[in-house]
Short mmCIF file of all heavy atoms in Angstrom, two decimals:
data_model
loop_
_atom_site.label_atom_id
_atom_site.label_comp_id
_atom_site.label_asym_id
_atom_site.label_seq_id
_atom_site.Cartn_x
_atom_site.Cartn_y
_atom_site.Cartn_z
N LEU U 1 103.84 109.07 97.84
CA LEU U 1 102.48 109.27 97.42
C LEU U 1 101.60 108.67 98.52
O LEU U 1 101.62 107.45 98.73
CB LEU U 1 102.21 108.55 96.08
CG LEU U 1 100.76 108.44 95.62
CD1 LEU U 1 100.12 109.80 95.52
CD2 LEU U 1 100.68 107.60 94.32
N ALA U 2 100.85 109.49 99.23
CA ALA U 2 100.04 109.08 100.34
C ALA U 2 98.58 109.48 100.14
O ALA U 2 98.32 110.63 99.94
CB ALA U 2 100.58 109.70 101.66
N PHE U 3 97.74 108.52 100.16
CA PHE U 3 96.29 108.77 99.95
C PHE U 3 95.41 107.62 100.57
O PHE U 3 95.89 106.51 100.72
CB PHE U 3 95.99 108.93 98.48
CG PHE U 3 96.22 107.65 97.69
CD1 PHE U 3 95.18 106.81 97.44
CD2 PHE U 3 97.48 107.38 97.20
CE1 PHE U 3 95.42 105.63 96.65
CE2 PHE U 3 97.69 106.21 96.41
CZ PHE U 3 96.66 105.32 96.17
N GLY U 4 94.18 107.97 100.87
CA GLY U 4 93.21 106.96 101.19
C GLY U 4 93.42 106.26 102.51
O GLY U 4 92.63 105.36 102.81
N ASN U 5 94.42 106.63 103.32
CA ASN U 5 94.55 106.08 104.60
C ASN U 5 93.44 106.57 105.52
O ASN U 5 93.08 107.76 105.47
CB ASN U 5 95.94 106.33 105.19
CG ASN U 5 97.03 105.79 104.32
OD1 ASN U 5 97.22 104.60 104.25
ND2 ASN U 5 97.75 106.64 103.59
N GLU U 6 93.01 105.76 106.46
CA GLU U 6 91.80 106.11 107.27
C GLU U 6 92.00 107.20 108.30
O GLU U 6 91.07 107.89 108.66
CB GLU U 6 91.20 104.84 107.93
CG GLU U 6 89.83 105.00 108.44
CD GLU U 6 89.32 103.78 109.10
OE1 GLU U 6 89.73 102.68 108.69
OE2 GLU U 6 88.47 103.88 110.06
N GLY U 7 93.26 107.41 108.71
CA GLY U 7 93.60 108.46 109.57
C GLY U 7 94.41 109.55 108.88
O GLY U 7 94.09 109.97 107.83
N GLN U 8 95.50 109.95 109.56
CA GLN U 8 96.40 110.84 108.86
C GLN U 8 97.24 110.09 107.82
O GLN U 8 97.48 108.93 107.98
CB GLN U 8 97.35 111.58 109.83
CG GLN U 8 96.67 112.57 110.67
CD GLN U 8 96.33 112.10 112.13
OE1 GLN U 8 96.14 110.85 112.33
NE2 GLN U 8 96.24 112.97 113.09
N GLN U 9 97.59 110.84 106.81
CA GLN U 9 98.38 110.21 105.71
C GLN U 9 99.81 110.09 106.19
O GLN U 9 100.48 109.08 105.97
CB GLN U 9 98.29 110.99 104.40
CG GLN U 9 96.84 111.30 104.01
CD GLN U 9 96.04 110.11 103.84
OE1 GLN U 9 96.41 109.06 103.20
NE2 GLN U 9 94.83 110.10 104.40
N LEU U 10 100.41 111.17 106.76
CA LEU U 10 101.78 111.16 107.27
C LEU U 10 101.82 111.81 108.64
O LEU U 10 101.21 112.84 108.86
CB LEU U 10 102.70 111.95 106.29
CG LEU U 10 102.73 111.50 104.84
CD1 LEU U 10 103.56 112.53 104.01
CD2 LEU U 10 103.24 110.14 104.65
N LYS U 11 102.64 111.19 109.53
CA LYS U 11 102.79 111.76 110.88
C LYS U 11 104.20 111.64 111.27
O LYS U 11 104.83 110.61 111.08
CB LYS U 11 101.91 110.99 111.89
CG LYS U 11 100.44 111.06 111.54
CD LYS U 11 99.68 110.09 112.42
CE LYS U 11 99.50 110.55 113.93
NZ LYS U 11 98.51 109.68 114.58
N VAL U 12 104.77 112.63 111.99
CA VAL U 12 106.12 112.65 112.54
C VAL U 12 106.15 113.35 113.85
O VAL U 12 105.64 114.43 114.01
CB VAL U 12 107.08 113.36 111.54
CG1 VAL U 12 108.51 113.22 112.01
CG2 VAL U 12 107.04 112.82 110.13
N GLY U 13 106.85 112.68 114.83
CA GLY U 13 106.98 113.26 116.15
C GLY U 13 108.42 113.66 116.42
O GLY U 13 108.72 114.24 117.48
N ALA U 14 109.38 113.31 115.56
CA ALA U 14 110.73 113.69 115.72
C ALA U 14 111.10 114.88 114.79
O ALA U 14 110.11 115.45 114.21
CB ALA U 14 111.67 112.52 115.34
N VAL U 15 112.31 115.23 114.70
CA VAL U 15 112.72 116.22 113.72
C VAL U 15 112.35 115.73 112.35
O VAL U 15 112.77 114.60 112.00
CB VAL U 15 114.24 116.49 113.80
CG1 VAL U 15 114.65 117.43 112.76
CG2 VAL U 15 114.60 117.03 115.21
N SER U 16 111.58 116.50 111.59
CA SER U 16 110.95 115.97 110.38
C SER U 16 111.35 116.71 109.13
O SER U 16 111.64 117.92 109.15
CB SER U 16 109.43 115.98 110.53
OG SER U 16 109.00 117.33 110.65
N THR U 17 111.44 115.98 108.02
CA THR U 17 111.61 116.49 106.73
C THR U 17 110.58 115.82 105.84
O THR U 17 110.59 114.53 105.69
CB THR U 17 113.01 116.21 106.14
OG1 THR U 17 113.99 116.90 107.03
CG2 THR U 17 113.21 116.70 104.79
N ILE U 18 109.69 116.53 105.19
CA ILE U 18 108.72 116.01 104.20
C ILE U 18 108.96 116.86 102.94
O ILE U 18 108.70 118.03 102.96
CB ILE U 18 107.29 116.12 104.71
CG1 ILE U 18 107.15 115.32 106.06
CG2 ILE U 18 106.32 115.57 103.72
CD1 ILE U 18 105.78 115.38 106.70
N GLN U 19 109.36 116.19 101.87
CA GLN U 19 109.64 116.92 100.64
C GLN U 19 109.26 116.10 99.44
O GLN U 19 109.19 114.86 99.45
CB GLN U 19 111.19 117.18 100.50
CG GLN U 19 111.76 118.08 101.57
CD GLN U 19 113.26 118.20 101.56
OE1 GLN U 19 113.98 117.17 101.32
NE2 GLN U 19 113.84 119.36 101.79
N ASN U 20 108.87 116.86 98.34
CA ASN U 20 108.62 116.24 97.07
C ASN U 20 107.49 115.11 97.13
O ASN U 20 107.52 114.11 96.39
CB ASN U 20 109.86 115.56 96.46
CG ASN U 20 110.69 116.57 95.69
OD1 ASN U 20 110.22 117.66 95.23
ND2 ASN U 20 111.98 116.32 95.53
N SER U 21 106.48 115.34 98.00
CA SER U 21 105.51 114.27 98.20
C SER U 21 104.08 114.74 97.72
O SER U 21 103.79 115.91 97.70
CB SER U 21 105.45 113.89 99.61
OG SER U 21 106.64 113.23 100.01
N LEU U 22 103.34 113.78 97.32
CA LEU U 22 101.94 114.02 96.84
C LEU U 22 101.01 113.43 97.98
O LEU U 22 101.11 112.25 98.29
CB LEU U 22 101.63 113.30 95.53
CG LEU U 22 102.43 113.68 94.33
CD1 LEU U 22 102.22 112.76 93.15
CD2 LEU U 22 102.12 115.13 93.96
N ILE U 23 100.16 114.25 98.49
CA ILE U 23 99.40 113.89 99.69
C ILE U 23 97.93 114.24 99.41
O ILE U 23 97.56 115.37 99.05
CB ILE U 23 99.84 114.65 100.93
CG1 ILE U 23 101.37 114.38 101.15
CG2 ILE U 23 99.07 114.20 102.14
CD1 ILE U 23 101.93 115.41 102.05
N VAL U 24 97.05 113.24 99.57
CA VAL U 24 95.63 113.46 99.31
C VAL U 24 94.85 113.10 100.60
O VAL U 24 94.94 111.99 101.08
CB VAL U 24 95.10 112.59 98.16
CG1 VAL U 24 93.60 112.91 97.92
CG2 VAL U 24 95.88 112.88 96.88
N GLY U 25 94.16 114.09 101.13
CA GLY U 25 93.45 113.84 102.37
C GLY U 25 92.07 113.30 102.17
O GLY U 25 91.07 113.94 102.58
#
């Protein structure tokens, strides 16, 4: 659960897997 962070909520520069997540920009 990612929300309210001042920049990006989630960031990945490697091989990435983002699953089953709640993200509020």
Side-chain angles (χ1 to χ4, degrees):
L1 170 59
F3 65 94
N5 299 290
E6 193 179 330
Q8 287 99 335
Q9 308 304 312
L10 303 174
K11 299 170 74 171
V12 184
V15 176
S16 62
T17 297
I18 302 176
Q19 295 173 322
N20 274 339
S21 293
L22 299 170
I23 305 162
V24 183

